[in-house]
Amino acid sequence: DTVDAIEDALLEKIQPGWEAYQQDAILQAMSEKSTQAMIQDNRTHLKRVFEQHSRPEDGPGQTANRDVMLLEGLKDACEESGLLAEVLAEERADEKARKICLNAVLSAQNDPEEVRELSEVAFMEFVHAVARIAVEVLESKDVQQKIRIGIDYMLEYSLSL
């Protein structure tokens, strides 16, 4: 009975997530060895961008938390790197950029229920969000190429920091 209950729970909770993962072209492209190598080889540069846009929490006596980036920090990094350049040229640019970044953050967090949504991302969620933003805003049919170009925007930007 216990084994059956565990198996049922796994099928109910894990299988839908696994199936969604297998159908997610962005996650598949990010899992490719060349993309993983690009991220690992340039981790220091990506981390520099992440830390540059990590924000301190408001309040007396609190220090900057370099382990998380708020949504606004992601948006700023994407704008300053040029990744959102096309969006910024459109009407209602700030609103569109914020929506694109929010959707990317929620996707990076596996689309949590509204009560579990976080307004901040850890480092790898930042990288994942950048990939999602790149896929949405860049011109190309090749998902992996878009991700690599999006990461490249961040790498170029890191050199100016």
Side-chain angles (χ1 to χ4, degrees), residues 20-84:
Y21 167 79
Q22 290 179 316
Q23 294 173 3
D24 189 326
I26 296 170
L27 287 176
Q28 292 297 313
M30 287 192 67
S31 297
E32 293 288 327
K33 287 183 181 184
S34 62
T35 306
Q36 285 296 308
M38 181 182 193
I39 293 167
Q40 290 305 318
D41 292 347
N42 294 289
R43 188 177 180 88
T44 303
H45 299 292
L46 293 169
K47 192 78 169 167
R48 184 181 306 130
V49 174
F50 178 81
E51 289 177 351
Q52 176 70 24
H53 290 278
S54 297
R55 300 277 197 254
E57 294 294 324
D58 293 331
Q62 293 190 354
T63 58
N65 183 352
R66 298 279 185 212
D67 296 328
V68 296
M69 176 188 283
L70 298 176
L71 176 62
E72 196 64 32
L74 173 65
K75 182 177 158 291
D76 290 347
C78 290
E79 287 176 355
E80 292 173 25
S81 71
L83 182 57
L84 288 174

Side-chain angles (χ1 to χ4, degrees), residues 86-97:
E86 294 291 322
V87 174
L88 295 177
E90 296 176 10
E91 196 174 306
R92 296 186 356 217
D94 191 63
E95 181 183 330
K96 287 180 182 179

